[in-house]
Amino acid sequence: MNKNSTTFDVLEEEIKKLAPGRAVSPATSVTRDLGLDSLAVMNFIMVLEDRFDISIPMDMIAEIETLKELEKVIETLKVEQDGA
Amino acid sequence: MSILSKYQQVSDLHDRIRSAKLGRDPFSVCFDAIHDATQAEIAGETVILLGSNNYLGLTFDRSCIEMAAAALRGSGTGTTGSRVANGSYQGHTELEERLKAFYGARHAMVFTTGYQANLGIISTLAGRDDHLLLDADSHASIYDAAKLSAAQVIRFRHNDPEDLARRLRRLRGQPGDRLVVVEGIYSMFGDTAPLVEIAAVVRAAGAYLLVDEAHSLGVLGQHGRGLTEATGVKADFIVGTFSKSLGAVGGFCVSDIDDFETLRVACRPYMFTASLPPSVVASVTEALKQMETRPDLRSRLHANGSRLYQGLEKAGFALGPEAGPIVSVRLPAVETAIDLWNGVLDNGVYCNLALPPATPTGEPLLRASVSAAHTSEQVDQAIEAITEQGKLLGLVGSERVAAE
């Protein structure tokens, strides 16, 4: 990961691979706007775990609606799990 | 808008399937009569059952039926309650003793279904602050157990021990136990877990290993104990079902762990449901004996699995990674899968239709499973039916075999 890229940049980059041509913003809904089914969302989370080297427990995924919320969860987990 | 509006997407897909060319609903197939372990009747036509998970073909075994009938007459139609609240019957404890002897395990616990065995054991073992690590292709019962559990749930890439190791490493420093769940044989493609490598990763991390042998009991291992026997791996917990190779319904867990008996008063899907009826317990106990004493059933099962796999591979179909009792044809589109499934059924062969997101790779599948009871002729008939329909749909070349 490029040191200067923000969490949102990485999210954008991964979504490009998954749903090419989709415009994304912080308000984009992970399930509705990206056209991902439940399995695709779970696989997307697995990719993000590897990109950020964190664990994102499944119960947290259920509460995430927008990319903004996803970004926030990732940043919180990064801080928590780096300290561990 | 109604309370069911949230299922609009599922409902739309279901409508699409029902309105397909031939108009059958693959999720509501009704057999007018079951002739034996391999044949049934649908709308006056006899069909070969190639999607029943009836691996050893014991559903019509004479001694299983006799034992079930005797128990039915002797102990009645049902237990009408849970074992914890309303008491166990002798048959339940006898079956648990048989399972302990079969696995050489210290403890065994019988559940009313295989689904409940996974639901109960996994959700009870993994509590608050614990970590549950699931293979990404896990069965719905394992995912539902994860939902019921208070533990933190992490998925790892299917059959990938290194990925599991990486995910366990990320949990370092966090409190709680780790429980890793894998399956002996995965139900959609019939592939087996790399259990030796996975067990090594689990041990190194100080985690617990649970293996679901639902599709591998009676199928793998010299005595039919499953993938754990075939690989020589000692799992902390083995979960399995009576509804496939043992031809009835029910589930179980065996383990050597201390204090296992506590689960009987902690595991809600065990405590708050009615126990198995005496007739089922009796037929399962007998089926276990048949499975142990008739290894020929297992060799016939594998011969049939290889025959089907090779036949379809030769015809040019894209299949799962390894030959076995489950053979799945990978298909390019939902509509093609529906047409193939319908066409094959019209040609007298009943298979399963599996659609995404219930399939691991997002591809629709025509899923077949063979039984020890199938004759070679029946398997050949199935290969022919699937190939003929595959040609009609342009999935395999009509001249392919002749040209080679």
Side-chain angles (χ1 to χ4, degrees):
Chain A
M1 197 187 323
N2 184 329
K3 275 213 155 49
N4 298 318
S5 56
T6 66
T7 300
F8 200 82
D9 290 340
V10 176
L11 284 179
E12 234 181 328
E13 193 187 317
E14 289 301 331
I15 289 165
K16 247 182 220 155
K17 292 184 202 161
L18 208 64
R22 291 228 191 213
V24 296
S25 77
T28 302
S29 157
V30 181
T31 48
R32 277 181 294 115
D33 300 335
L34 298 178
L36 304 180
D37 63 26
S38 53
L39 181 66
V41 170
M42 291 197 295
N43 289 341
F44 178 49
I45 295 297
M46 212 151 47
V47 170
L48 297 180
E49 286 184 314
D50 288 341
R51 283 299 303 261
F52 295 104
D53 196 24
I54 53 171
S55 297
I56 311 176
M58 273 174 63
D59 58 324
M60 294 185 100
I61 304 167
E63 289 159 27
I64 297 168
E65 177 60 36
T66 63
L67 288 182
K68 174 92 199 147
E69 287 163 19
L70 179 58
E71 180 191 23
K72 204 176 145 204
V73 163
I74 290 170
E75 297 202 323
T76 310
L77 288 174
K78 272 204 298 196
V79 173
E80 271 178 28
Q81 295 181 13
D82 274 353
Chain B
M1 289 293 278
S2 93
I3 197 163
L4 294 178
S5 298
K6 51 183 151 312
Y7 299 107
Q8 197 55 50
Q9 246 186 320
V10 177
S11 167
D12 289 347
L13 178 62
H14 198 184
D15 286 345
R16 202 169 122 205
I17 294 164
R18 277 185 293 202
S19 62
K21 204 172 54 187
L22 294 152
R24 264 197 223 88
D25 181 354
F27 308 124
S28 309
V29 169
C30 180
F31 303 109
D32 303 323
I34 302 288
H35 297 318
D36 53 39
T38 64
Q39 292 183 97
E41 205 169 298
I42 302 178
E45 302 287 333
T46 299
V47 297
I48 297 173
L49 295 169
L50 203 74
S52 307
N53 305 322
N54 192 355
Y55 299 125
L56 302 182
L58 290 176
T59 47
F60 280 80
D61 180 85
R62 185 183 291 267
S63 54
C64 291
I65 290 175
E66 290 309 322
M67 296 306 277
L72 185 61
R73 291 186 196 286
S75 307
T77 52
T79 65
T80 64
S82 111
R83 291 177 62 184
V84 177
N86 310 81
S88 291
Y89 286 22
Q90 204 185 12
H92 294 124
T93 48
E94 263 174 30
L95 177 54
E96 283 169 348
E97 289 305 316
R98 288 296 304 269
L99 286 165
K100 278 156 66 172
F102 178 61
Y103 282 100
R106 288 171 59 203
H107 308 282
M109 195 167 155
V110 166
F111 289 78
T112 306
T113 68
Y115 174 91
Q116 285 165 318
N118 265 339
L119 195 69
I121 290 294
I122 295 170
S123 69
T124 311
L125 289 175
R128 195 163 301 287
D129 292 331
D130 292 337
H131 298 270
L132 192 50
L133 291 103
L134 312 180
D135 183 286
D137 287 4
S138 289
H139 186 259
S141 57
I142 296 171
Y143 276 108
D144 290 356
K147 269 193 192 169
L148 190 62
S149 159
Q152 300 200 23
V153 184
I154 300 288
R155 293 165 84 230
F156 62 93
R157 288 191 170 77
H158 176 55
N159 276 354
D160 189 338
E162 279 174 33
D163 193 70
L164 170 63
R166 192 159 52 238
R167 285 175 157 71
L168 279 164
R169 217 160 29 235
R170 280 188 198 128
L171 297 174
R172 266 203 302 235
Q174 295 194 40
D177 289 311
R178 285 96 169 104
L179 177 66
V180 176
V181 179
V182 297
E183 298 179 34
I185 291 181
Y186 286 86
S187 64
M188 283 293 140
F189 282 121
D191 51 333
T192 53
L195 201 56
V196 172
E197 293 79 2
I198 284 176
V201 169
V202 170
R203 294 288 165 255
Y208 291 90
L209 177 63
L210 183 149
V211 181
D212 176 3
E213 302 267 26
H215 288 270
S216 37
L217 169 67
V219 173
L220 299 178
Q222 205 192 335
H223 301 89
R225 284 178 212 128
L227 187 63
T228 43
E229 185 188 15
T231 55
V233 164
K234 179 99 183 107
D236 298 293
F237 303 92
I238 292 173
V239 171
T241 179
F242 305 143
S243 65
K244 297 178 172 46
S245 53
L246 297 177
V249 67
F252 68 90
C253 175
V254 294
S255 175
D256 279 345
I257 199 163
D258 290 338
D259 298 326
F260 180 87
E261 297 299 316
T262 304
L263 289 171
R264 292 190 200 270
V265 289
C267 178
R268 299 169 64 86
Y270 174 84
M271 298 163 70
F272 297 101
T273 194
S275 59
L276 283 172
S279 54
V280 170
V281 172
S283 88
V284 168
T285 307
E286 178 62 23
L288 201 53
K289 189 170 137 198
Q290 296 289 324
M291 188 176 88
E292 282 185 85
T293 52
R294 293 168 63 191
D296 56 301
L297 290 177
R298 214 155 22 257
S299 17
R300 290 221 304 270
L301 169 71
H302 286 285
N304 283 338
S306 301
R307 195 179 185 92
L308 180 64
Y309 189 91
Q310 283 157 16
L312 293 177
E313 193 178 43
K314 198 173 155 211
F317 286 105
L319 306 175
E322 50 187 297
I326 298 170
V327 179
S328 286
V329 178
R330 316 164 78 123
L331 297 162
V334 171
E335 273 69 20
T336 320
I338 297 167
D339 285 347
L340 181 63
W341 179 84
N342 268 302
V344 169
L345 187 52
D346 280 342
N347 275 11
V349 180
Y350 171 78
C351 299
N352 310 123
L353 176 67
L355 300 176
T359 63
T361 51
E363 294 162 296
L365 305 174
L366 182 77
R367 178 186 178 278
S369 58
V370 294
S371 167
H374 283 122
T375 61
S376 310
E377 290 73 28
Q378 285 177 314
V379 176
D380 290 346
Q381 215 177 313
I383 296 168
E384 209 182 298
I386 298 169
T387 306
E388 191 180 305
Q389 290 304 311
K391 283 178 187 168
L392 281 177
L393 293 167
L395 293 164
V396 291
S398 48
E399 300 307 316
R400 190 185 170 97
V401 178
E404 271 168 5

